[in-house]
Amino acid sequence: MYPEGAYAGGGGEEVVGLGAEAARLARVMGDRHFHADLELLEGSSSAFVLAALGELLETGYAFDRSGRSLRLRARGMSETPQDLATVTRGLFVVVSRGEDSSDDGDPEEDRVVEEVSRVPEASSIQEVVREPGLVLSDPPEHLTIPLSHLGSMVGAILAKRGVGKTYLGMVLVEEIMGVDPPVPVVVFDPTGVWWGLCATETGAPSSYEVLLLGGPRGHLPLTPLDGSKIAEVVATEKSARVVVDLSQMAPAEQHGVVADFCERLISLPHFAIHVVFDEADEFAPQRFGAGAVNQRRALGFVERLVMRGRSRGIGVTLISLRPAVISKNVLSQVDALYLLRMAEPADVEAVRSRLEKFESGISPEMCAQCIGNLPVLARGTSYFLRGGDEVMFRRFRVRRKRTFDASGTPEVGKVLEATLGRPNAAVLQAARKIFAGRVAK
């Protein structure tokens, strides 16, 4: 083992005890500098470079990462060995221009992104298997979010109207509902379209066992005083999948439900949960109208949920067509951005401002590419950016939904109605007791 903090293999020294490719990398990276991923290839294949990096990790080395660059160092005596899949996630990506465009109506040439998913069958890297995750793209390798990000990730889906922001949000929730063991998820829906999660794309009942509260199709009715009770339901039944249809309430009543839910959830014992706010600018606005008492309460508690939730296992996704009018305090806490087509200058500027203050790892070149393409992205195409220790920067096409598309524009021959699936029996029973004022034991 090398001394803690030392850098080995520099100055052109011969590095013994390593295979040829690993020794080459140790010599190249022994200068204590960061090296870009494509620089490390140097004519070699991505698969062999990955194998060599795995060998270095097994023989006492570790890596520091900045964006798409790695720096080699000796692993500290008390440091846990790093996982190769985590260290190299998103690296060694080949971007090429295809002759056939898969983005209908996109003025740009199609970009085909191929991420290395297979490595040689060598003992030094047998542990490198693609981590299960939330598959949001088609093909899956363009964007699969690791499950480890789910509990504390604060994301925002931002786009102009009609380009697929709610659709992407539903795909994300479909993935969360498929996690095992279950993670409770609650969606606040002012638009009245999320009931589609209760049915399949053909209109048959869904197997997701979603509890729909409120709205014209609700399994249970909802009053403006039930916000805190929704929090108690998910705290009682940790497998709950709940859609809160607020579409038949006045705006002030919607704000009150969200404020009461967040206030109660924060006060409960910690447990992992993901909360989705569609039309998030309603509940966390930058400015208020006159007399917006409940909206001010909603903003205050949404801010607390976002800012304190990370340590409590609470993930949050905000969906909005107007990033310029979302509270800057809330938007500043976002660590993952999904950006679809956006043309309004004020909204593009709000995104640019957020990216300039994003966590480390998102380079100026990435920001410039993303901002420059936002006005011309094809419908259903998105950028994903995550900063910090595990940087991700992807352009992807959103995969097709498995559930009913209640948010889609009516078309000739398209199914307009669906048969809703039944909610989980235990969740429904708990909700009935709690809504009746008898907290389930």
Side-chain angles (χ1 to χ4, degrees):
M1 184 65 66
Y2 299 97
E4 184 164 352
Y7 288 77
E13 303 168 12
E14 186 65 24
V15 183
V16 297
L18 295 173
E21 187 69 12
R24 178 185 73 82
L25 289 180
R27 286 193 295 271
V28 170
M29 302 178 73
D31 58 3
R32 307 181 182 225
H33 296 154
F34 280 97
H35 294 264
D37 56 347
L38 298 183
E39 174 190 351
L40 297 178
L41 289 175
E42 197 179 280
S44 181
S45 74
S46 302
F48 283 107
V49 171
L50 284 171
L53 294 174
E55 186 178 351
L56 290 170
L57 289 176
E58 286 195 343
T59 51
Y61 289 88
F63 296 98
D64 299 320
R65 180 165 170 176
S66 176
R68 298 177 61 87
S69 299
L70 294 175
R71 178 171 63 186
L72 181 68
R73 61 178 174 80
R75 188 170 69 233
M77 296 294 292
S78 59
E79 185 178 356
T80 302
Q82 295 172 322
D83 174 69
L84 177 61
T86 300
V87 169
T88 61
R89 184 175 291 115
L91 300 185
F92 308 106
V93 174
V94 179
V95 180
S96 60
R97 293 188 181 273
E99 295 182 1
D100 298 320
S101 176
S102 61
D103 291 351
D104 296 338
D106 192 339
E108 294 189 315
E109 292 183 275
D110 181 41
R111 286 180 170 83
V112 181
V113 182
E114 297 178 351
E115 185 174 62
V116 175
S117 60
R118 292 185 299 172
V119 293
E121 295 182 1
S123 59
S124 63
I125 53 169
Q126 285 179 353
E127 73 280 10
V128 182
V129 179
R130 183 174 293 279
E131 180 182 349
L134 310 179
V135 180
L136 303 184
S137 67
D138 182 18
E141 57 267 26
H142 286 191
L143 182 60
T144 296
I145 299 176
L147 294 181
S148 57
H149 292 181
L150 176 60
S152 62
M153 187 167 71
V154 177
I157 301 174
L158 307 175
K160 65 177 290 185
R161 187 181 302 279
V163 298
K165 67 182 187 306
T166 297
Y167 192 102
L168 172 54
M170 292 179 178
V171 168
L172 174 62
V173 171
E174 286 179 0
E175 290 294 312
I176 296 173
M177 292 192 299
V179 170
D180 186 24
V183 174
V185 57
V186 178
V187 178
F188 287 96
D189 172 25
T191 61
V193 300
W194 283 77
W195 62 266
L197 293 175
C198 300
T200 68
E201 60 180 339
T202 62
S206 168
S207 61
Y208 283 124
E209 297 187 323
V210 176
L211 174 63
L212 180 61
L213 299 175
R217 301 173 179 81
H219 296 115
L220 291 176
L222 187 72
T223 77
L225 302 178
D226 289 335
S228 60
K229 295 177 182 178
I230 300 169
E232 292 172 10
V233 170
V234 293
T236 301
E237 293 294 330
K238 300 298 194 299
S239 61
R241 292 95 177 253
V242 182
V243 169
V244 184
D245 188 334
L246 302 171
S247 62
Q248 294 187 321
M249 291 186 183
E253 294 173 331
Q254 296 179 6
H255 304 152
V257 171
V258 168
D260 291 344
F261 169 84
C262 294
E263 181 180 22
R264 183 69 178 123
L265 184 63
I266 293 169
S267 70
L268 290 168
H270 302 178
F271 62 97
I273 183 174
H274 201 87
V275 184
V276 179
F277 299 100
D278 202 353
E279 305 297 340
D281 46 281
E282 274 291 322
F283 311 114
Q286 180 64 22
R287 296 184 178 85
F288 304 96
V293 177
N294 278 347
Q295 195 175 36
R296 290 178 182 274
R297 287 187 63 237
L299 169 60
F301 285 115
V302 169
E303 280 188 355
R304 290 182 63 187
L305 190 71
V306 168
M307 297 176 73
R308 299 185 182 182
R310 184 172 301 181
S311 62
R312 297 168 177 248
I314 300 175
V316 176
T317 296
L318 310 164
I319 304 175
S320 177
L321 58 83
R322 292 300 316 276
V325 300
I326 295 180
S327 162
K328 291 182 173 57
N329 287 343
V330 170
L331 205 56
S332 70
Q333 300 301 311
V334 167
D335 55 24
L337 284 172
Y338 310 81
L339 303 173
L340 294 93
R341 189 193 308 160
M342 199 179 304
E344 179 65 35
D347 294 327
V348 174
E349 185 56 36
V351 171
R352 186 197 307 276
S353 176
R354 177 68 193 106
L355 289 179
E356 288 175 351
K357 301 171 185 176
F358 218 47
E359 292 185 67
S360 61
I362 301 299
S363 68
E365 292 76 19
M366 292 176 183
C367 294
Q369 177 188 338
C370 177
I371 293 296
N373 288 331
L374 283 184
V376 295
L377 284 179
R379 187 176 187 272
T381 301
S382 176
Y383 278 100
F384 176 80
L385 301 93
R386 176 183 169 90
D389 295 333
E390 297 185 74
V391 175
M392 297 181 71
F393 177 69
R394 301 282 192 277
R395 172 176 159 150
F396 69 100
R397 284 191 64 85
V398 181
R399 71 157 175 79
R400 185 169 178 169
K401 284 178 56 184
R402 305 185 186 103
T403 52
F404 189 73
D405 187 12
S407 64
T409 303
E411 300 173 6
V412 175
K414 183 176 180 179
V415 178
L416 297 179
E417 286 299 329
T419 302
L420 273 58
R422 296 180 62 83
N424 178 276
V427 174
L428 180 59
Q429 181 182 20
R432 282 174 172 160
K433 289 182 179 179
I434 291 170
F435 277 35
R438 301 189 302 274
V439 178
K441 302 295 183 183

mmCIF file of all heavy atoms in Angstrom, residues 121-139:
data_model
loop_
_atom_site.group_PDB
_atom_site.id
_atom_site.type_symbol
_atom_site.label_atom_id
_atom_site.label_comp_id
_atom_site.label_asym_id
_atom_site.label_seq_id
_atom_site.Cartn_x
_atom_site.Cartn_y
_atom_site.Cartn_z
ATOM 1 N N GLU A 121 -14.145 -9.966 -19.859
ATOM 2 C CA GLU A 121 -14.342 -10.885 -18.747
ATOM 3 C C GLU A 121 -13.000 -11.153 -18.089
ATOM 4 O O GLU A 121 -12.290 -12.104 -18.416
ATOM 5 C CB GLU A 121 -14.981 -12.184 -19.242
ATOM 6 C CG GLU A 121 -16.378 -11.990 -19.774
ATOM 7 C CD GLU A 121 -17.006 -13.284 -20.211
ATOM 8 O OE1 GLU A 121 -16.335 -14.321 -20.078
ATOM 9 O OE2 GLU A 121 -18.142 -13.265 -20.676
ATOM 10 N N ALA A 122 -12.644 -10.272 -17.165
ATOM 11 C CA ALA A 122 -11.377 -10.397 -16.455
ATOM 12 C C ALA A 122 -11.660 -10.398 -14.967
ATOM 13 O O ALA A 122 -12.567 -9.736 -14.496
ATOM 14 C CB ALA A 122 -10.446 -9.230 -16.817
ATOM 15 N N SER A 123 -10.867 -11.150 -14.208
ATOM 16 C CA SER A 123 -11.122 -11.289 -12.776
ATOM 17 C C SER A 123 -11.048 -9.957 -12.065
ATOM 18 O O SER A 123 -11.708 -9.742 -11.051
ATOM 19 C CB SER A 123 -10.104 -12.267 -12.162
ATOM 20 O OG SER A 123 -8.782 -11.785 -12.373
ATOM 21 N N SER A 124 -10.254 -9.019 -12.600
ATOM 22 C CA SER A 124 -10.075 -7.746 -11.913
ATOM 23 C C SER A 124 -11.309 -6.857 -11.992
ATOM 24 O O SER A 124 -11.425 -5.900 -11.246
ATOM 25 C CB SER A 124 -8.876 -6.997 -12.513
ATOM 26 O OG SER A 124 -9.128 -6.687 -13.867
ATOM 27 N N ILE A 125 -12.246 -7.167 -12.895
ATOM 28 C CA ILE A 125 -13.409 -6.303 -13.044
ATOM 29 C C ILE A 125 -14.711 -7.091 -13.074
ATOM 30 O O ILE A 125 -15.719 -6.607 -13.565
ATOM 31 C CB ILE A 125 -13.304 -5.458 -14.322
ATOM 32 C CG1 ILE A 125 -13.039 -6.367 -15.531
ATOM 33 C CG2 ILE A 125 -12.232 -4.414 -14.218
ATOM 34 C CD1 ILE A 125 -13.182 -5.644 -16.840
ATOM 35 N N GLN A 126 -14.718 -8.294 -12.513
ATOM 36 C CA GLN A 126 -15.938 -9.089 -12.534
ATOM 37 C C GLN A 126 -17.072 -8.423 -11.767
ATOM 38 O O GLN A 126 -18.239 -8.693 -12.013
ATOM 39 C CB GLN A 126 -15.668 -10.482 -11.956
ATOM 40 C CG GLN A 126 -14.900 -11.383 -12.929
ATOM 41 C CD GLN A 126 -14.615 -12.736 -12.338
ATOM 42 O OE1 GLN A 126 -14.869 -12.973 -11.160
ATOM 43 N NE2 GLN A 126 -14.083 -13.633 -13.140
ATOM 44 N N GLU A 127 -16.727 -7.538 -10.825
ATOM 45 C CA GLU A 127 -17.761 -6.899 -10.030
ATOM 46 C C GLU A 127 -18.445 -5.756 -10.759
ATOM 47 O O GLU A 127 -19.421 -5.200 -10.275
ATOM 48 C CB GLU A 127 -17.169 -6.361 -8.717
ATOM 49 C CG GLU A 127 -16.285 -5.109 -8.859
ATOM 50 C CD GLU A 127 -14.879 -5.402 -9.327
ATOM 51 O OE1 GLU A 127 -14.617 -6.556 -9.739
ATOM 52 O OE2 GLU A 127 -14.031 -4.511 -9.268
ATOM 53 N N VAL A 128 -17.959 -5.388 -11.942
ATOM 54 C CA VAL A 128 -18.518 -4.251 -12.656
ATOM 55 C C VAL A 128 -19.739 -4.703 -13.451
ATOM 56 O O VAL A 128 -19.630 -5.268 -14.521
ATOM 57 C CB VAL A 128 -17.484 -3.613 -13.600
ATOM 58 C CG1 VAL A 128 -18.088 -2.392 -14.286
ATOM 59 C CG2 VAL A 128 -16.247 -3.233 -12.817
ATOM 60 N N VAL A 129 -20.910 -4.465 -12.907
ATOM 61 C CA VAL A 129 -22.172 -4.789 -13.551
ATOM 62 C C VAL A 129 -23.009 -3.508 -13.572
ATOM 63 O O VAL A 129 -22.993 -2.740 -12.612
ATOM 64 C CB VAL A 129 -22.925 -5.902 -12.779
ATOM 65 C CG1 VAL A 129 -24.258 -6.202 -13.447
ATOM 66 C CG2 VAL A 129 -22.069 -7.158 -12.692
ATOM 67 N N ARG A 130 -23.719 -3.248 -14.656
ATOM 68 C CA ARG A 130 -24.523 -2.036 -14.733
ATOM 69 C C ARG A 130 -25.513 -2.006 -13.576
ATOM 70 O O ARG A 130 -26.300 -2.922 -13.388
ATOM 71 C CB ARG A 130 -25.261 -1.967 -16.065
ATOM 72 C CG ARG A 130 -26.055 -0.677 -16.225
ATOM 73 C CD ARG A 130 -26.642 -0.579 -17.614
ATOM 74 N NE ARG A 130 -25.591 -0.423 -18.601
ATOM 75 C CZ ARG A 130 -25.007 0.731 -18.879
ATOM 76 N NH1 ARG A 130 -25.339 1.816 -18.227
ATOM 77 N NH2 ARG A 130 -24.066 0.799 -19.796
ATOM 78 N N GLU A 131 -25.444 -0.968 -12.779
ATOM 79 C CA GLU A 131 -26.278 -0.844 -11.586
ATOM 80 C C GLU A 131 -27.745 -0.698 -11.967
ATOM 81 O O GLU A 131 -28.089 0.062 -12.864
ATOM 82 C CB GLU A 131 -25.838 0.376 -10.786
ATOM 83 C CG GLU A 131 -26.632 0.596 -9.518
ATOM 84 C CD GLU A 131 -26.179 1.850 -8.795
ATOM 85 O OE1 GLU A 131 -25.141 2.410 -9.171
ATOM 86 O OE2 GLU A 131 -26.874 2.261 -7.851
ATOM 87 N N PRO A 132 -28.650 -1.445 -11.297
ATOM 88 C CA PRO A 132 -30.079 -1.235 -11.557
ATOM 89 C C PRO A 132 -30.449 0.211 -11.237
ATOM 90 O O PRO A 132 -29.866 0.836 -10.360
ATOM 91 C CB PRO A 132 -30.757 -2.211 -10.577
ATOM 92 C CG PRO A 132 -29.707 -3.195 -10.198
ATOM 93 C CD PRO A 132 -28.408 -2.453 -10.258
ATOM 94 N N GLY A 133 -31.421 0.722 -11.942
ATOM 95 C CA GLY A 133 -31.782 2.108 -11.694
ATOM 96 C C GLY A 133 -33.110 2.460 -12.322
ATOM 97 O O GLY A 133 -33.881 1.597 -12.747
ATOM 98 N N LEU A 134 -33.379 3.757 -12.389
ATOM 99 C CA LEU A 134 -34.610 4.284 -12.957
ATOM 100 C C LEU A 134 -34.374 4.543 -14.440
ATOM 101 O O LEU A 134 -33.625 5.444 -14.814
ATOM 102 C CB LEU A 134 -35.001 5.578 -12.239
ATOM 103 C CG LEU A 134 -35.025 5.524 -10.707
ATOM 104 C CD1 LEU A 134 -35.404 6.892 -10.140
ATOM 105 C CD2 LEU A 134 -35.977 4.449 -10.206
ATOM 106 N N VAL A 135 -34.992 3.751 -15.290
ATOM 107 C CA VAL A 135 -34.767 3.828 -16.734
ATOM 108 C C VAL A 135 -35.712 4.869 -17.325
ATOM 109 O O VAL A 135 -36.920 4.656 -17.410
ATOM 110 C CB VAL A 135 -34.991 2.462 -17.406
ATOM 111 C CG1 VAL A 135 -34.750 2.563 -18.912
ATOM 112 C CG2 VAL A 135 -34.067 1.414 -16.791
ATOM 113 N N LEU A 136 -35.168 5.990 -17.756
ATOM 114 C CA LEU A 136 -35.984 7.090 -18.257
ATOM 115 C C LEU A 136 -35.881 7.279 -19.762
ATOM 116 O O LEU A 136 -36.654 8.051 -20.335
ATOM 117 C CB LEU A 136 -35.578 8.400 -17.564
ATOM 118 C CG LEU A 136 -35.647 8.414 -16.032
ATOM 119 C CD1 LEU A 136 -35.320 9.802 -15.517
ATOM 120 C CD2 LEU A 136 -37.008 7.971 -15.540
ATOM 121 N N SER A 137 -34.954 6.593 -20.391
ATOM 122 C CA SER A 137 -34.696 6.856 -21.806
ATOM 123 C C SER A 137 -34.922 5.617 -22.657
ATOM 124 O O SER A 137 -35.025 4.492 -22.169
ATOM 125 C CB SER A 137 -33.256 7.338 -21.995
ATOM 126 O OG SER A 137 -32.343 6.289 -21.687
ATOM 127 N N ASP A 138 -34.974 5.854 -23.939
ATOM 128 C CA ASP A 138 -35.005 4.789 -24.932
ATOM 129 C C ASP A 138 -33.973 5.140 -25.989
ATOM 130 O O ASP A 138 -34.152 6.113 -26.724
ATOM 131 C CB ASP A 138 -36.399 4.681 -25.549
ATOM 132 C CG ASP A 138 -36.511 3.549 -26.554
ATOM 133 O OD1 ASP A 138 -35.643 2.649 -26.521
ATOM 134 O OD2 ASP A 138 -37.461 3.565 -27.366
ATOM 135 N N PRO A 139 -32.836 4.381 -26.040
ATOM 136 C CA PRO A 139 -32.493 3.176 -25.283
ATOM 137 C C PRO A 139 -32.114 3.480 -23.830
ATOM 138 O O PRO A 139 -31.743 4.617 -23.510
ATOM 139 C CB PRO A 139 -31.311 2.608 -26.059
ATOM 140 C CG PRO A 139 -30.656 3.795 -26.682
ATOM 141 C CD PRO A 139 -31.787 4.730 -27.030
#
